[in-house]
Amino acid sequence: QGEGFLPVKWRGAALAEFDGTRWFNPPGQEQVVQVEENGQVVVRSATEGVSRGPNLIYQVHLEPLIADTLFFAGTVETIKIDVRYLRYSRGGGFHVAPRYGNRGLNYSARGFLPNEWAAGRYTAQLPLGVLRELLSLPEMDPRIPELAQQMTLGAETPAQKARALEGHLRRDYGYTLELLSKPVDDPLAYFLFERKKGHCEYFASSMAVMLRTLGIPSRVVTGFQSGVYNPMTGWQVIRASDAHSWVEAWIEGRGWTTFDPTPFDPSGGGPGLLSRLSLLADTASQFWNDWVMSYDLGH
């Protein structure tokens, strides 16, 4: 509050398995987290050695969605939410159970923005079983590992190789939301060698797969981009059109490190009339939520 626009990614879930056409998490790997009587959940994640950036304290109003995923900025340490329990996936995602009603859901979070590239050592290690899972690959076009080698030529460390892949995908490929006219047998190879343009899921999938061919554990993350700041309400507004996918790679000594290989969307212009009108609509919606739906003696 009072800080203006916050340029962060809103992380929902991390997907670990790829079958050649889609990313998913194996069933049966979620844990049930009991919410304390005061509505608080303390997230006991491994953060030893992580360089802390700015602290984050924020509230979220999540409109009713088909999905049951919660979204967080940065590394979350404490959640306050009015449900009985949450489901926690191994990739660090939180899910509501039971599903919330048609009014949406309010929750708050405390945490920090990790400084992923700061000097210092991250002491945690990936368990062997998780490491194998995050390096597993289906049968694929043999040109894909060859392309990964070409793109990382001259890079020595895993971090340098990941940066090289990220840079090549951003520079050498184009962004489009236009769907294929018909399905293809190998969407990843078709994207990398034929069409050479696509949306964020193609870029994230390509980078994660090529990282694995180089022996670097990786996963695809789904969530939202930063959205827009509404100066009339002081809230940041994230819409369905801000949905995004990116990559987390496990870099020895740094832990999970974020990479975003998707290039800039050339069709995304500045704030036009429709954008300003939508902010007015968001303001009216926020007013209704604060002063009608959530009205109490404090208000």
Side-chain angles (χ1 to χ4, degrees):
Q1 186 172 1
E3 295 292 334
F5 179 72
L6 187 64
V8 294
K9 287 178 168 60
W10 293 89
R11 188 182 190 278
L15 308 176
E17 286 207 9
F18 182 61
D19 64 5
T21 57
R22 68 185 183 98
W23 288 87
F24 59 96
N25 281 327
Q29 294 187 347
E30 291 184 336
Q31 301 174 11
V32 175
V33 179
Q34 193 74 34
V35 179
E36 299 174 11
E37 289 186 6
N38 61 0
Q40 185 169 285
V41 174
V42 178
V43 183
R44 307 188 186 281
S45 57
T47 58
E48 59 267 31
V50 174
S51 177
R52 295 178 68 105
N55 290 327
L56 287 181
I57 303 173
Y58 54 89
Q59 294 176 315
V60 176
H61 173 68
L62 191 62
E63 295 286 353
L65 297 171
I66 296 175
D68 56 4
T69 302
L70 303 182
F71 300 92
F72 296 97
T75 298
V76 62
E77 295 179 298
T78 305
I79 304 167
K80 193 152 190 179
I81 187 170
D82 187 21
V83 297
R84 288 178 297 167
Y85 57 91
L86 299 173
R87 302 195 319 274
Y88 179 72
S89 60
R90 194 166 70 185
F94 284 92
H95 309 275
V96 186
R99 211 169 280 242
Y100 53 95
N102 57 9
R103 288 189 176 186
L105 183 70
N106 296 312
Y107 59 95
S108 60
R110 290 173 176 261
F112 61 93
L113 287 177
N115 189 349
E116 296 178 333
W117 293 92
R121 304 300 293 172
Y122 187 89
T123 57
Q125 298 290 323
L126 281 179
L128 189 58
V130 176
L131 184 65
R132 280 197 295 263
E133 180 184 71
L134 294 170
L135 288 174
S136 66
L137 287 167
E139 289 188 21
M140 68 174 67
D141 191 310
R143 294 176 296 172
I144 294 178
E146 292 174 4
L147 182 62
Q149 293 289 344
Q150 293 171 17
M151 286 185 172
T152 56
L153 200 62
E156 297 180 356
T157 67
Q160 290 172 350
K161 292 178 180 180
R163 277 287 188 231
L165 288 176
E166 179 186 54
H168 273 288
L169 287 167
R170 282 184 175 178
R171 292 190 305 269
D172 303 342
Y173 294 80
Y175 182 85
T176 181
L177 288 174
E178 184 181 344
L179 299 177
L180 295 175
S181 58
K182 59 181 181 180
V184 295
D185 293 334
D186 190 337
L188 210 57
Y190 186 77
F191 164 72
L192 286 170
F193 303 107
E194 302 294 334
R195 196 176 191 218
K196 297 192 175 182
K197 61 180 180 179
H199 52 73
C200 58
E201 291 181 342
Y202 286 98
F203 287 93
S205 294
S206 298
M207 182 172 178
V209 166
M210 287 194 286
L211 282 170
R212 291 187 180 190
T213 67
L214 298 171
I216 302 172
S218 62
R219 58 194 185 190
V220 168
V221 183
T222 59
F224 292 90
Q225 300 196 77
S226 302
V228 295
Y229 179 69
N230 189 340
M232 292 174 279
T233 63
W235 282 72
Q236 196 151 323
V237 184
I238 296 93
R239 300 184 178 90
S241 57
D242 296 309
H244 194 48
S245 295
W246 60 95
V247 174
E248 288 177 350
W250 181 268
I251 306 296
E252 194 69 31
R254 294 186 186 275
W256 287 114
T257 308
T258 302
F259 297 91
D260 192 344
T262 304
F264 174 73
D265 179 5
S267 64
L273 175 62
L274 286 177
S275 179
R276 291 194 292 271
L277 288 174
S278 68
L279 289 181
L280 286 172
D282 289 324
T283 301
S285 175
Q286 189 63 47
F287 182 90
W288 177 264
N289 183 66
D290 287 346
W291 294 95
V292 179
M293 303 297 287
S294 302
Y295 188 82
D296 55 24
L297 287 177
H299 284 79

